[in-house]
Amino acid sequence: MELSAVDLTKRYGSKTAVNRLNATLTNGVYGLLGANGAGKTTFMRLLCTVQRPTSGKIVLDGKSIWKLGERYRDVLGYLPQHFGYYPDFTALDFLLYVAALKGLDNRKAKKVSSELLEEVGLSGESRCKIKTFSGGMKQRLGIAQAMLNDPYILILDEPTAGLDPKERVRFRNLISAFSKDRIVILSTHIVSDIEFIAERIMMMKAGEIIHFGRPHEITSRISGCVWECSVPTSRAEQYTVSLNISNLRNEENGRTVLRVIADQPPVAGAVKVQPNLEDLFLYYFKEEEQ
Amino acid sequence: MKQLIRLELRKIFSKRLTQLDLAMVLLLSAFLAFSTYQNKYASDGAGNEGTGRTAVEIDKAVAARYSGILTDEKVQQMISEIVPKSGENGLNAIYIYRNTIQSAVSARFSDIYGNWNGLRVSDVFGNETIKIGYVDGWLSTSQNLVKILTIFSFFIIMMIAPVFCGEYSGVDNIILSTRYGRTKCAMAKVIAGVLAALITSIVVLAVNLLMAFAFYGSEGLDCSILFAQLTYIEGSIPFNITCGTLLAYQAILAVTGALGVTGITLIFSAACKNQMIAFVVSAAVYGLPLFFPAAETSALFRLAVLLPAYHAQFVSLMSVGQMSGIFLYAVWAVPAALTFIVAGSIFSRKVFAKHQVS
Ligand SMILES: Nc1ncnc2c1ncn2[C@@H]1O[C@H](COP(=O)(O)OP(=O)(O)O)[C@@H](O)[C@H]1O
Ligand SMILES: [Mg+2]
């Protein structure tokens, strides 16, 4: 199946959150990477039919997802970036509720809910009220609800927010195992979240996709722009102000190795190195943060 | 669908605020019923007097002496046996209160000195057959119910207000991305809202009627509401119905009122951004008609009393002319309530289906 956005645009008043975006997605895991405010959440909301585009459209195999309606949402799973919950519901109640909304029959809903609670590590808390949950537990419950209907299209908005390192690993494994023959889209502003599991990266900036490709393809765009150089540790501080530094490593001999993103060699003796995703991200978003 | 409705109901009833409010309404019912009972006073004019239980017993004993169809002979008997003659403390005899039967007969058949005022039963009641007896317990229960049901209708608004807009604070993201989020979900919400209103009104009614039954027994349910003590005359219902019929109408109007206010609240629950606004707007739309004066005889009034707020108020609605046959005009409350529910259902589902997250 093929999910395409065609000239997709969403404006909030005069603010354009998604700007004439075009993209075609087939089976695979996609990492939607962009700084805060880039338009990731808005794009995902449009993909999930919880918001209507101002113009343009999204089609699944050539048919508008709004026209497909229930048939589209039947194959869709969505973890919103921020979602409410019912404080006095238990985790299991909540999953049963969403399962009912997704049209699962009772028996199936119970079975799938407890399996998913197990998979996200909440089986021990299935009968606890959600109001007693930590942020990470709510997030895992959110991931579980998205997967209840075994969706063909799974859209996760900042899924690793609030997860600790161990939970992140568990999440990555869960998604890797799940993603076969499906379209999975993960958004994040943390590169390491998707560096290893995303087969394709969509880099988004100001409502547009500025790069779309396999990780090594899109990092090659800035090859020649990443440098490593060794400077005295005492002066490293100074460099962080003037240079775009993606990494910084202190060595024992009183020197510090800087990883610098720059079009020209930043200091004499700097050597070119292979760029990675993090470098790419910094290359495009550095000026925005300042 | 059943599962969805069940979980929507659980959502409504698992809210602390709902539970607390329902408990408050029930406590208030108990308090009103109990204090009314405790404050009953009666004396039989022969040295027995008391409050609370004693008063009810005296009232019942006096009523038992004259119970049955009201006749001119009974009126004479009551005037001579229980109506006080001389003014105590300068009070005219007619204003002296001893017990409910005495008060009822004094109000209609005695002059200010406690003598017969010359009116016959047919002068006061036309050719209605008036069955008299101990009606005070059930009539005061009915009066208390008006207060309780008015407060209860605001409880319903509070309970129903979050049904739709409670989702707008985030869960809508999830709901609207699911298969039935824009369709069956809204239907389940409407049905759960209606069921919640029905269930709670039945509980409130049952608790109140059971308490009244425990305090006053079933006596008087078959007696006319027209031969009641002085305090019930003003604002009472001018039809010769029994206490039982009165309470049956009141129970039906409690339910129709609950349904009507549910319909109104569903509309604003879907249309408002948050629960507080939905509550305030619904409460205003529900309650404001009570403050607009309309002449009781005008056609507008006949329509206005069909608004849900008047179902709980109930006396005005019950006082609009009698229809041909055995029914009062008040039965129109049933189609009126259904209209509100249908309107609420259609409108709220439309709005929710079009809703976009923000
Ligand atoms: N409901 C809204 N109303 C107005 N502006 C919004 C709304 N949602 C998002 N925006 C704006 O659209 C832009 C994109 O936001 P968003 O899609 O949330 O970005 P991201 O998820 O990448 O951080 C931001 O500038 C944000 O301020
Ligand atoms: Mg976002």
Side-chain angles (χ1 to χ4, degrees):
Chain A
M1 281 205 244
E2 193 180 84
L3 186 65
S4 310
V6 184
D7 284 338
L8 193 66
T9 302
K10 176 73 186 182
R11 286 194 203 93
Y12 298 107
S14 61
K15 166 95 205 167
T16 305
V18 171
N19 191 13
R20 297 184 63 89
L21 184 150
N22 286 282
T24 297
L25 315 181
T26 50
N27 292 356
V29 179
Y30 293 82
L32 183 60
L33 194 59
N36 281 324
K40 305 182 296 293
T41 296
T42 307
F43 180 37
M44 293 189 141
R45 284 173 168 177
L46 296 173
L47 284 171
C48 295
T49 71
V50 299
Q51 272 183 349
R52 268 184 190 275
T54 310
S55 65
K57 60 183 175 180
I58 299 166
V59 291
L60 182 66
D61 288 339
K63 293 193 198 82
S64 156
I65 58 170
W66 278 92
K67 292 231 174 70
L68 287 171
E70 287 188 359
R71 272 180 292 155
Y72 174 70
R73 290 194 286 272
D74 198 25
V75 298
L76 179 72
Y78 175 41
L79 168 73
Q81 181 175 8
H82 303 290
F83 56 97
Y85 57 94
Y86 310 118
D88 293 305
F89 264 36
T90 66
L92 185 62
D93 287 339
F94 188 70
L95 288 190
L96 291 178
Y97 180 64
V98 179
L101 287 174
K102 293 190 174 196
L104 273 66
D105 68 52
N106 267 354
R107 188 136 41 87
K108 179 125 192 260
K110 282 200 184 112
K111 184 167 162 282
V112 179
S113 298
S114 51
E115 282 169 10
L116 279 168
L117 284 169
E118 180 79 46
E119 287 190 52
V120 298
L122 286 174
S123 50
E125 286 85 11
S126 70
R127 295 195 185 272
C128 297
K129 289 193 173 181
I130 304 178
K131 65 180 170 194
T132 66
F133 280 16
S134 70
M137 290 161 84
K138 282 176 206 153
Q139 187 73 359
R140 284 182 278 150
L141 183 62
I143 293 167
Q145 68 73 27
M147 298 169 77
L148 276 168
N149 55 333
D150 197 16
Y152 171 68
I153 300 168
L154 181 62
I155 296 178
L156 306 169
D157 198 351
E158 312 231 349
T160 54
L163 299 189
D164 65 29
K166 207 174 106 215
E167 289 162 358
R168 278 170 198 239
V169 172
R170 196 213 308 253
F171 168 73
R172 238 180 279 166
N173 296 338
L174 179 64
I175 294 302
S176 299
F178 180 79
S179 67
K180 192 170 158 20
D181 299 327
R182 295 170 208 258
I183 300 176
V184 178
I185 311 174
L186 314 162
S187 83
T188 184
H189 57 271
I190 300 165
V191 177
S192 59
D193 276 354
I194 52 170
E195 204 159 14
F196 301 110
I197 52 169
E199 293 147 40
R200 293 221 168 50
I201 305 290
M202 295 186 276
M203 191 169 284
M204 201 168 175
K205 186 175 177 179
E208 294 173 41
I209 290 181
I210 53 172
H211 284 302
F212 187 162
R214 294 177 188 282
H216 68 268
E217 284 168 14
I218 68 168
T219 54
S220 69
R221 305 273 177 108
I222 58 160
S223 64
C225 299
V226 184
W227 312 81
E228 269 194 2
C229 51
S230 172
V231 298
T233 302
S234 54
R235 292 180 53 201
E237 184 78 9
Q238 219 174 308
Y239 284 112
T240 58
V241 180
S242 57
L243 297 174
N244 188 357
I245 290 177
S246 83
N247 199 9
L248 183 149
R249 186 174 76 244
N250 287 328
E251 306 222 299
E252 281 165 8
N253 55 6
R255 296 184 72 83
T256 297
V257 175
L258 305 178
R259 191 178 175 97
V260 183
I261 296 151
D263 294 324
Q264 305 295 325
V267 292
V271 291
K272 282 185 192 169
V273 293
Q274 193 69 31
N276 62 25
L277 264 183
E278 186 108 26
D279 301 324
L280 184 75
F281 188 84
L282 281 174
Y283 183 81
Y284 283 105
F285 293 106
K286 185 64 182 176
E287 68 256 43
E288 221 162 77
E289 282 167 24
Q290 283 171 345
Chain B
M1 194 68 180
K2 243 194 264 157
Q3 173 79 339
L4 266 184
I5 296 170
R6 203 176 64 79
L7 287 163
E8 287 291 349
L9 273 174
R10 179 178 303 185
K11 218 187 280 176
I12 294 173
F13 286 120
S14 68
K15 288 220 171 68
R16 276 278 174 284
L17 194 65
T18 308
Q19 295 166 354
L20 257 169
D21 282 357
L22 186 59
M24 290 254 289
V25 172
L26 294 178
L27 267 175
L28 185 79
S29 303
F31 173 78
L32 262 183
F34 193 71
S35 68
T36 305
Y37 180 69
Q38 278 305 309
N39 285 317
K40 294 264 177 240
Y41 163 83
S43 83
D44 61 2
N48 297 316
E49 71 168 344
T51 58
R53 189 193 174 102
T54 320
V56 171
E57 274 164 8
I58 292 171
D59 268 336
K60 281 186 177 175
V62 175
R65 300 218 298 265
Y66 308 102
S67 71
I69 308 299
L70 183 66
T71 58
D72 288 323
E73 293 72 51
K74 270 193 188 151
V75 170
Q76 293 306 327
Q77 209 184 336
M78 287 186 275
I79 295 273
S80 68
E81 288 174 14
I82 58 172
V83 171
K85 292 295 174 291
S86 58
E88 297 157 8
N89 314 326
L91 209 59
N92 283 325
I94 195 176
Y95 297 123
I96 296 172
Y97 180 88
R98 282 193 178 154
N99 54 62
T100 56
I101 292 288
Q102 169 266 323
S103 174
V105 73
S106 290
R108 293 171 184 84
F109 295 102
S110 112
D111 63 11
I112 57 172
Y113 307 109
N115 301 313
W116 184 44
N117 61 8
L119 291 178
R120 306 177 61 86
V121 173
S122 58
D123 297 328
V124 177
F125 295 111
N127 46 21
E128 293 287 344
T129 309
I130 307 293
K131 182 152 191 263
I132 67 170
Y134 176 74
V135 293
D136 181 59
W138 288 107
L139 287 181
S140 55
T141 300
S142 166
Q143 270 193 335
N144 284 345
L145 264 177
V146 169
K147 293 179 202 155
I148 287 159
L149 291 174
T150 303
I151 291 167
F152 175 66
S153 51
F154 289 95
F155 157 81
I156 291 189
I157 298 176
M158 198 170 298
M159 177 172 76
I160 302 296
V163 163
F164 282 101
C165 64
E167 314 289 9
Y168 296 168
S169 55
V171 198
D172 52 353
N173 274 294
I174 291 175
I175 291 176
L176 297 178
S177 72
T178 61
R179 176 168 185 174
Y180 296 121
R182 289 185 187 271
T183 50
K184 281 192 188 168
C185 176
M187 193 67 212
K189 284 179 179 304
V190 170
I191 295 173
V194 169
L195 285 178
L198 279 177
I199 294 167
T200 48
S201 32
I202 287 169
V203 167
V204 168
L205 277 173
V207 166
N208 276 281
L209 294 180
L210 282 176
M211 277 188 303
F213 187 77
F215 286 146
Y216 309 111
S218 62
E219 260 177 273
L221 281 174
D222 59 344
C223 294
S224 171
I225 62 168
L226 289 183
F227 196 70
Q229 60 156 302
L230 188 61
T231 43
Y232 295 116
I233 290 175
E234 196 191 339
S236 80
I237 296 143
F239 302 116
N240 185 20
I241 53 175
T242 64
C243 288
T245 309
L246 179 84
L247 286 160
Y249 269 102
Q250 196 164 19
I252 290 169
L253 290 179
V255 172
T256 59
L259 290 181
V261 73
T262 300
I264 291 176
T265 312
L266 282 174
I267 290 177
F268 295 106
S269 177
C272 295
K273 283 277 161 265
N274 72 55
Q275 313 176 21
M276 201 55 219
I277 300 176
F279 173 79
V280 172
V281 176
S282 308
V285 169
Y286 167 77
L288 281 183
L290 290 176
F291 295 98
F292 290 122
E296 289 207 17
T297 45
S298 77
L300 191 65
F301 181 80
R302 291 172 69 97
L303 270 183
V305 288
L306 293 177
L307 293 173
Y310 285 98
H311 299 197
Q313 293 298 314
F314 140 94
V315 174
S316 325
L317 176 51
M318 290 290 282
S319 307
V320 179
Q322 198 155 9
M323 303 212 306
S324 54
I326 53 167
F327 292 116
L328 298 185
Y329 178 76
V331 295
W332 283 106
V334 175
L338 292 179
T339 308
F340 277 99
I341 277 293
V342 170
S345 161
I346 292 174
F347 182 86
S348 60
R349 283 187 294 140
K350 259 213 172 94
V351 169
F352 196 67
K354 292 223 171 90
H355 175 70
Q356 310 225 357
V357 303
S358 58

